[in-house]
Each structure stands twice: as C-alpha cells, then as structure tokens.
Amino acid sequence: MVRITVRDPERMHELGRRLATLLTPGDLVLLSGELGAGKTTLTRGLGEGLGVRGAVTSPTFVIARVHPSLCGGPALVHVDAYRLGGGLDEMEDLDLDVSLPESVVVVEWGDGKVEDLSDARLHVVISRTVGAAAGPAGAEDADDVREVTVTGVGPRWAKEDLSPLLV
Ligand SMILES: Nc1ncnc2c1ncn2[C@@H]1O[C@H](COP(=O)(O)OP(=O)(O)O)[C@@H](O)[C@H]1O
Ligand SMILES: [Mg+2]
C-alpha cells in the first residue's frame, strides 16, 4: 500500500499519468472517494497516460464510456458505479463495444461500497485531509489537499512495485 499527499488538481492529474504506467489489459481500478474528491481528475490523467481517445469527463449520463487507444494499447472503460446498481457483474451485460479482459476498467465507486467485491483490483481511495495534515490553518489552498492510498488486492498486485506512484 502506498500513501500519497496530492496538493492540487494538476498533481492529481499527474498521479493518474503515473498510474497508467503500471496498468495492463484486464486490470480493474476502483476509485473511492466522496463527490468532488478528484476521481474524475485522476482518471483524466490516466486516460492521457494510456493514450486513449476522447475527453474523460464524469460519466454522469452513461453507465460506462469507452475510450479506444490511439497507440495500440488497452482501451479505457470508465464506469460510474452509482448507475451500476447490481455491481460489477452487471458490466458484462452492458454490451460495450470492447472486450473487458483487453481493456483497463476504471470504476468511480463512491464511498464504502466495495466490501463485497473480491475481484483482483487496484483500490485507490481519495480523501480530503483535515486538520494539521492539510497544512497551516488558514492556508488558502488547504481545501485542495487530498490524501490518496493505493492498495493492490489479489495475486495480480502481490509482487507489483507501487513506488512509481510516489513522486
Ligand atoms: N488535490 C486535488 N485533487 C483533485 N481535485 C482537486 C484537488 N484540489 C481541488 N480539486 C478540485 O476538486 C474537484 C474534483 O472533481 P472530480 O475530479 O470531478 O471529483 P469526483 O470525480 O471524485 O467527483 C475539481 O473541481 C478539482 O479542480
Ligand atoms: Mg467523478
């Protein structure tokens, strides 16, 4: 598990780019964090790092959006789990125009809904820091500081070195 302090949206974007370097086809990345935590910002950097087509935006009006690769790599499938009532199994029924085992799947999951998931996954939790960790009281950018933890679950991640995520 690695823990990263991310001070502004640009650095969150950059973390997404670094995360992309670790990902291979078939990987599932679960992003947890409240609304406005920075899940979509991270995914935007990830899409840029993967070299996929199309602007990554909040998948608010669709359950999942497919971004094909522009460089022969895996597509990015960006999922809003709030609309995926039945859990990840339901994804197989979405009839996406892409093979999930050949794609990188990123799910914006929101808080506290992952307990019943046992799939191999990279779990990224983004939280707003409070108090001392956010810097001096009254610092004007204190609200921007995020604490990100990245944890690999399952054998896929057991031997993977997550240190490239650290600056
Ligand atoms: N350190 C930070 N990391 C990510 N986003 C930040 C940060 N500081 C401020 N923000 C702002 O917070 C908002 C995050 O929005 P978004 O990425 O859509 O969150 P989510 O997808 O988790 O709802 C953006 O407006 C972004 O500019
Ligand atoms: Mg979002």
Side-chain angles (χ1 to χ4, degrees):
M1 190 254 255
V2 296
R3 183 189 305 271
I4 306 140
T5 301
V6 179
R7 301 203 164 274
D8 52 47
E10 291 72 29
R11 287 180 170 97
M12 188 65 82
H13 188 96
E14 185 53 36
L15 178 61
R17 287 184 57 102
R18 287 201 296 278
L19 186 55
T21 67
L22 297 180
L23 298 174
T24 56
D27 280 341
L28 170 68
V29 179
L30 216 50
L31 302 179
S32 301
E34 63 184 29
L35 196 67
K39 302 182 295 295
T40 299
T41 304
L42 183 82
T43 308
R44 203 169 286 134
L46 205 157
E48 197 177 294
L50 287 176
V52 298
R53 191 176 73 208
V56 171
T57 57
S58 288
T60 306
F61 299 108
V62 291
I63 295 175
R65 186 169 286 140
V66 177
H67 298 271
S69 175
L70 293 169
C71 53
L76 170 64
V77 180
H78 185 198
V79 183
D80 182 356
Y82 282 110
R83 302 189 155 249
L84 203 63
L88 289 180
D89 288 347
E90 204 182 286
M91 278 197 57
E92 302 291 346
D93 305 331
L94 290 180
D95 207 18
L96 298 173
D97 191 22
V98 71
S99 147
L100 295 179
E102 291 170 11
S103 305
V104 166
V105 179
V106 174
V107 183
E108 293 196 27
W109 200 255
D111 253 344
K113 293 163 81 182
V114 296
E115 294 79 13
D116 52 343
L117 281 174
S118 57
D119 296 290
R121 66 186 184 268
L122 198 63
H123 192 187
V124 179
V125 180
I126 307 175
S127 53
R128 292 167 189 270
T129 52
V130 287
E140 58 180 50
D141 57 355
D143 283 351
D144 287 356
V145 180
R146 305 288 192 268
E147 206 67 37
V148 180
T149 63
V150 182
T151 311
V153 178
R156 153 75 177 95
W157 293 103
K159 292 201 183 89
E160 190 78 46
D161 178 18
L162 296 179
S163 65
L165 297 178
L166 305 166
V167 193

